[in-house]
Amino acid sequence: ALTQDELLALYDEDDDVSSSSRALYADVQGLNYEENEEEEQDLERYLEQVEQLRFRRVLSPSWIQAGTDLRIYPEPRRFTDACGQMQNSETLLYEDTTFVVVDKPPMLPTQPDASNYHECCPGCTQTYLGPFFDITGREIVRPLLCHRVDACVGGCVVMAKDRNGQKVFSQLQQDRQL
């Protein structure tokens, strides 16, 4: 078994500081890692800060800075069968300038899964029933969820074409007008 330093040495092709073990800690702002006797405390502090970070999805090709932590799913959860059921035009129940209402099939998640952004209700709706246009006539990237339904349950899902539609739907729910 390799130690952490031996493993990092495999990736160090030169003595560049940016590729040394200090690069492990470069992604947490305000934590300047320096090798010293308190290495374990620094590592614990680093891990605490990493746990508090919110990760962002990278959906298009882009450059990633050295020291950035990546989460890669070699076997993402797939929902191709349920997503494929959205191809039927009868699943689009209603559309106007603000809202899109679809009949979500069972076993299709309403929200994106951590390992799969595209096979969910908004993604499959945009792929198979879109494109959709907002009130100004601009094409939207993908509808926005107004509420959730459990993945194992099928039924109506209301999505908005813009943030204002989400606010209107939320207010209608709060006022118990739905």
Side-chain angles (χ1 to χ4, degrees), residues 139-171:
E139 185 175 342
I140 62 170
V141 177
R142 110 193 233 148
L144 307 170
L145 287 170
C146 291
H147 66 96
R148 296 179 294 196
V149 175
D150 290 340
C152 60
V153 177
C156 292
V157 174
V158 178
M159 293 177 278
K161 294 183 176 181
D162 57 23
R163 298 246 180 248
N164 186 50
Q166 280 183 315
K167 284 178 17 182
V168 167
F169 189 85
S170 178
Q171 190 62 48

Side-chain angles (χ1 to χ4, degrees), residues 1 26 32 47 55-56 67 98 103 108 123 126 158 160 168 171 174:
N32 297 324
L47 293 174
F55 295 95
R56 67 179 183 92
T98 307
D103 183 12
L108 180 68
Q126 182 66 27
V158 178
V168 167
Q171 190 62 48
Q174 288 176 4

